Amino acid sequence: MSASTTPPGPPMRDTPLSRAELAAAVARDIPRGAVVNLGIGLPTTVSDHLPPERGVILHTENGMLGMGPAATGDQIDPDLVNAGKIPVTERPGAAYFDQAASFAIMRGGHLDICVLDAFQVSGRGDLANWHTGEPDAIPAVGGAMDLANGAKDVFVMMSLFTRDGRPKLVPECTYPLTGLGCVSRVYTDHAVFLISADGVRVRETYGISIDELRSRLAVAIS
């Protein structure tokens, strides 16, 4: 195929995303007015990149609807925290309720999107994010299974590789599963992946080429 007929590849930049840039990338893709749960850990930082005028309503499983960004300085109220016990602010009109109501919102299909961290995601969208199975690991499922199966859309936000270079996007999860076929998008420091019945498609890359991604991932990508 000549250069003139080569189809364009996904957008690419020269360096991986920082954690803050990754959070901003996820925030940009959340539609105006969506009702969203941000999971414990890295996903909670997405709230700092959602301007109020977007009208995104954040739910937290410990019983709040209308959560704002993380609280700092004089904003900190020890009684106002998210599910990860991080001090947060509230938007005008915020509501509070018990965990029974909170989980009813999650299980009842009332969340448009949840954003979760993960140990592994499979090429079919299976999610493993609560236990590595290691003897000294502490399992922490929380409400992840309810979120993964109750939200209309599940985004995962994670590093693409472990500290020793093993990929976290894999053909089959080897860790205990949280949900089957539930993940539709995976945001990582090196690329954004879209997962559907047609397979895994790379939407954009950061500091890595498609060829290098293919050489380092065992899962097929297009």
Side-chain angles (χ1 to χ4, degrees):
M1 181 178 291
S2 69
S4 61
T5 58
T6 301
M12 178 179 176
R13 76 173 216 175
D14 296 335
T15 56
L17 295 185
S18 66
R19 291 166 66 92
E21 289 172 329
L22 183 56
V26 175
R28 283 194 296 272
D29 283 352
I30 294 176
R32 180 180 295 272
V35 181
V36 180
N37 181 288
L38 303 175
I40 294 171
L42 189 57
T44 61
T45 62
V46 173
S47 66
D48 298 338
H49 301 273
L50 289 168
E53 59 270 22
R54 290 267 301 280
V56 173
I57 300 172
L58 295 181
H59 163 272
T60 177
E61 64 204 62
N62 58 326
M64 183 180 181
L65 198 62
M67 183 181 74
T72 58
D74 293 341
Q75 295 177 319
I76 294 175
D77 177 346
D79 292 327
L80 185 56
V81 297
N82 64 19
K85 300 180 181 177
I86 304 297
V88 295
T89 55
E90 59 183 3
R91 298 291 194 200
Y96 303 90
F97 32 81
D98 61 24
Q99 282 198 303
S102 183
F103 275 67
I105 290 173
M106 294 153 61
R107 296 172 180 171
H110 303 292
L111 296 175
D112 295 308
I113 297 170
C114 72
V115 185
L116 299 172
D117 204 340
F119 293 129
Q120 293 176 325
V121 176
S122 82
R124 291 194 303 268
D126 301 334
L127 170 66
N129 80 339
W130 67 281
H131 193 19
T132 63
E134 298 294 332
D136 59 346
I138 301 174
V141 67
M145 290 182 180
D146 305 88
L147 290 167
N149 294 285
K152 296 170 185 170
D153 221 348
V154 178
F155 294 176
V156 161
M157 181 181 175
M158 66 179 187
S159 60
L160 184 54
F161 302 103
T162 63
R163 291 181 180 177
D164 58 4
R166 289 175 295 159
K168 296 164 74 172
L169 180 62
V170 295
E172 299 282 347
C173 294
T174 57
Y175 294 147
L177 291 178
T178 308
L180 286 171
C182 55
V183 178
S184 57
R185 297 187 190 185
V186 182
Y187 294 81
T188 78
D189 46 353
H190 289 290
V192 176
F193 303 90
L194 307 180
I195 300 179
S196 69
D198 296 327
V200 181
R201 182 167 69 85
V202 181
R203 194 182 74 176
E204 52 198 298
T205 63
Y206 317 114
I208 194 169
S209 68
I210 290 291
D211 288 342
E212 185 177 356
L213 276 176
R214 289 197 172 104
S215 71
R216 297 185 65 182
L217 301 177
V219 64
I221 58 174
S222 61

